[in-house]
Amino acid sequence: MGCCTSDNTTHSNESEISKLRNEFLFQTANAPARDLILYDRFCNDFSLQSKKEEIDTIMRDRPVISSLHNHLVPSRLSDVDFWRQYFFKSDPKGSNPILLTPRVIKGPDGELEQLFDKYKGHGVCEGGEESVNSLQEGSFPALAADLNVELEDIIMLIIPFKLGASTPYQISRSEWISGWKSLGAVTIEEMRNVLPTLRNEVYNKNESFKQFYMFVFHYVKEPGQRTLDAQTAIDTWRIILKNKFKYLELWCQYVERKHRKAINSDQWNQFYDFINSVDDSFSNYDSEGAWPVILDDFVDYAKPLIEGRDSS
């Protein structure tokens, strides 16, 4: 008897999930204009963060909704779109409210708009500002996963550089659309295909790489700050200068253990000039030149270690 009850309950849950799933996949293209306006207004006031405790309770106590969430997120909806739609249906201010998927955007930029909205939703879900019309720091893990690259791959910094990103840790909607269009990629598959070309154009061409290197300093520092904290600088150097400087780890060790101060743009830029003009033994390094003190001190720190390695 208990077994039959369990089977019936499971079947009932599956039917409810299927029904709700179809409702969640309702296309906005078929929705009355009034409902779209209601939904837009609702989304403008919706805060995922303020619903966190309620969402935790729903996911714990309502297995049908929890299963539906697992069915749809992230394959069909971002987390923030799922909960927008869920709470929109529950909102008492709406008259016969309906569940809506992200708007189906038509036109030449439709696919890029849809991708942007998807990753923007991930950014909001990870604590980003809902009012910011940009991909934010929390957007990039999902983008990296879809591009089949690691988040720490240099390509994840080359992308904002090639798209012309102007704000730290962000890519605006207009930068995303105009940038990818200029690169000839409007689908995720086309983006994957263009990555090797972007990597080669930046990493293997000196002038382009120098521009990229200078861009990165401003892109990874905290907004409003003039310097880059030492650990962020170290982590970033390890990503972008891999195979570019023989003593990269020695340099990172020096900054971490001896320098231990924030890095300014002059130090950042002159370090690049240093690794491209000084030989492996530092024999042509001019300590009386216009190098910043951080490089004078690094040479004094590194030379005995390098000479010791060479003699052993």
Side-chain angles (χ1 to χ4, degrees), residues 9-22:
T9 301
T10 300
H11 179 73
S12 173
N13 284 350
E14 288 176 351
S15 298
E16 189 175 353
I17 290 169
S18 178
K19 178 178 179 294
L20 285 170
R21 186 176 187 278
N22 289 335

Side-chain angles (χ1 to χ4, degrees), residues 32-44 88 100 103:
R34 176 187 170 281
D35 289 316
L36 293 175
I37 293 170
L38 281 174
Y39 184 65
D40 282 342
R41 288 175 180 170
F42 180 85
C43 288
N44 286 336
F88 178 67
L100 302 169
R103 186 164 305 184

Side-chain angles (χ1 to χ4, degrees), residues 154 203 209 236-245 248:
I154 190 175
Y203 189 78
F209 188 84
T236 307
W237 276 319
R238 283 178 170 146
I239 292 172
I240 67 177
L241 293 180
K242 185 178 181 181
N243 301 322
K244 289 279 188 181
F245 180 42
L248 178 60

Side-chain angles (χ1 to χ4, degrees), residues 268-288:
W268 177 272
N269 293 338
Q270 290 216 45
F271 177 60
Y272 181 79
D273 294 335
F274 171 86
I275 68 176
N276 282 281
S277 61
V278 176
D279 63 34
D280 286 349
S281 64
F282 303 157
S283 62
N284 64 336
Y285 180 78
D286 180 8
S287 60
E288 300 300 318

Side-chain angles (χ1 to χ4, degrees), residues 20 23-24 35 38-60 62 65-66 68-69 72 77-101 125 130:
L20 285 170
E23 288 178 334
F24 262 81
D35 289 316
L38 281 174
Y39 184 65
D40 282 342
R41 288 175 180 170
F42 180 85
C43 288
N44 286 336
D45 296 329
F46 180 79
S47 169
L48 189 66
Q49 201 64 28
S50 68
K51 297 286 189 182
K52 187 175 185 307
E53 289 187 14
E54 190 173 350
I55 289 170
D56 290 342
T57 301
I58 293 168
M59 292 293 282
R60 184 186 66 240
R62 300 192 61 188
I65 299 300
S66 177
L68 180 63
H69 183 274
L72 296 179
L77 295 172
S78 70
D79 191 57
V80 68
D81 279 318
F82 179 94
W83 291 112
R84 278 172 177 163
Q85 294 177 31
Y86 175 86
F87 287 108
F88 178 67
K89 185 179 182 184
S90 308
D91 186 54
K93 291 181 288 186
S95 174
N96 298 318
I98 54 173
L99 293 171
L100 302 169
T101 54
C125 181
E130 292 183 67

